[in-house]
Amino acid sequence: MTIVIGSAGRRLYLIDWFRAAFDTLGLSGRIIVAENDASSAAASYGDETRLLPRYTDPAYGEEVLRLVDEVEPRLFLTANDFELMQLHVNSGIADALRDRGVFVPGVSAAWQVGCADKLRMAQMLEDVDVPTPKTVKGSDLDLLTDVGENGEFVVKHRFGSRSSGLAVVTGGDVDEAVVNSAKSVPPRADRTDPRDDVVVQPRMPGSEYGVDIVSSLLDPGPLTGVFARRKLRMRAGESDKAVTVDPGPFREASGKIARAAELSGLIDVDMFLDDQGRASVIDINPRFGGGYPFVHLAGADVPLYYVSQIFGIPIDEGWNQYEAGVISAKYQETRVTARGSQEISDSSTAVEHT
């Protein structure tokens, strides 16, 4: 009974929790970790390691299908935003995997594109009546209204991940923040103005929350779980400390997104909640996000839900129940990922910064 987890990076807890799900259900399971970097924290943490080309490599799709045909997994998931685009949109690999009987959690191709493009995402949310801040390109600041000196605005990369290019500034500093953010946008062939790849939004009132939205792997669309936590501290674009809260205020928006996106499995959504209890969406990551551990430690168990569905073993509704008011904080660990790698240290001339 095999599953493949791609690009887990530092999220070793996901591997642990899928192992625990196998144990809970009394299954002899195998977790294959597929990575591009043989020395990543997760690469050697699974039951087996398989190296794949980088998702931008022309051979990536062929090698994914070769791996799946060999090991015959029931589930293939990845924690990398850009690999998700390659799987679901650029190559059609996700559909090819499903044709082979493999479950591939995610959203429809149209919503995958929207999740990757923050400008398009705002438009898609408006189309399904989900509140979201007005979003404009950095080159279209004249479309923003009420840009006062004291108002606050969020500037970030349009196609970014993990808060890339992010700045929160007052109205008088928006132009400068856009220029600075545009300096670090990745090159794109059909772009003439780098400010087109920066978006600006008014900062929403209230507190910021991370919300996991879950639908069935067998019947995409209907909502089966909503988990929420209030963000207390951020680090490197991820929640570093959070407290679990009642998911009630987020259910309406979550249900609309799940149906419109033809959701299967879990996606991570960033929302704001104002003083009147109104939720608005600012970002969607169609994967296990960095905030899921906070609700898992409070009682939720999406890996158990996944494994029970793909192997046809009924479980009760306990998997989508969790305790509110639980505060959790992340901490750092280090593990050896390779030995005898003199070649790496000799040939490297610079430290990798990510």
Side-chain angles (χ1 to χ4, degrees), residues 82-93:
F82 302 110
E83 187 174 25
L84 282 167
M85 277 294 292
Q86 189 67 19
L87 285 169
H88 291 270
V89 178
N90 298 338
S91 65
I93 299 170

Side-chain angles (χ1 to χ4, degrees), residues 74-157:
R74 294 303 308 280
L75 176 71
F76 187 104
L77 62 87
T78 177
N80 182 285
D81 290 321
F82 302 110
E83 187 174 25
L84 282 167
M85 277 294 292
Q86 189 67 19
L87 285 169
H88 291 270
V89 178
N90 298 338
S91 65
I93 299 170
D95 288 336
L97 296 180
R98 294 183 181 116
D99 289 342
R100 287 164 163 80
V102 182
F103 289 94
V104 186
V107 295
S108 68
W111 274 77
Q112 179 64 52
V113 173
C115 291
D117 180 345
K118 293 174 175 56
L119 181 64
R120 182 178 296 195
M121 181 188 67
Q123 297 164 345
M124 295 177 77
L125 289 169
E126 290 177 358
D127 289 343
V128 296
D129 198 29
V130 172
T132 189
K134 182 177 179 59
T135 304
V136 303
K137 293 186 292 186
S139 56
D140 290 333
L141 291 181
D142 57 312
L143 298 180
L144 277 179
T145 57
D146 301 325
V147 185
E149 290 291 325
N150 297 322
E152 287 193 312
F153 293 84
V154 176
V155 178
K156 54 189 175 183
H157 288 168

Side-chain angles (χ1 to χ4, degrees), residues 134-258:
K134 182 177 179 59
T135 304
V136 303
K137 293 186 292 186
S139 56
D140 290 333
L141 291 181
D142 57 312
L143 298 180
L144 277 179
T145 57
D146 301 325
V147 185
E149 290 291 325
N150 297 322
E152 287 193 312
F153 293 84
V154 176
V155 178
K156 54 189 175 183
H157 288 168
R158 176 180 171 183
F159 301 97
S161 178
R162 294 177 179 267
S163 302
S164 62
L166 177 68
V168 180
V169 297
T170 57
D173 295 323
V174 170
D175 285 297
E176 181 181 358
V178 167
V179 171
N180 288 334
S181 183
K183 292 176 181 177
S184 57
V185 295
R188 190 160 59 89
D190 57 347
R191 184 192 65 210
T192 56
D193 186 342
R195 295 177 302 164
D196 289 344
D197 284 358
V198 175
V199 292
V200 182
Q201 304 168 325
R203 187 177 186 184
M204 301 303 293
S207 299
E208 186 175 358
Y209 295 79
V211 181
D212 291 317
I213 302 175
V214 186
S215 290
S216 169
L217 295 174
L218 305 174
D219 180 24
L223 198 64
T224 58
V226 181
F227 315 125
R229 60 267 170 193
R230 181 163 57 87
K231 301 181 180 184
L232 301 178
R233 185 173 64 212
M234 299 291 292
R235 180 183 296 180
E238 277 194 359
S239 298
D240 191 56
K241 183 178 180 182
V243 56
T244 54
V245 300
D246 175 17
F250 309 101
R251 286 192 181 278
E252 182 178 0
S254 297
K256 291 178 179 178
I257 293 170

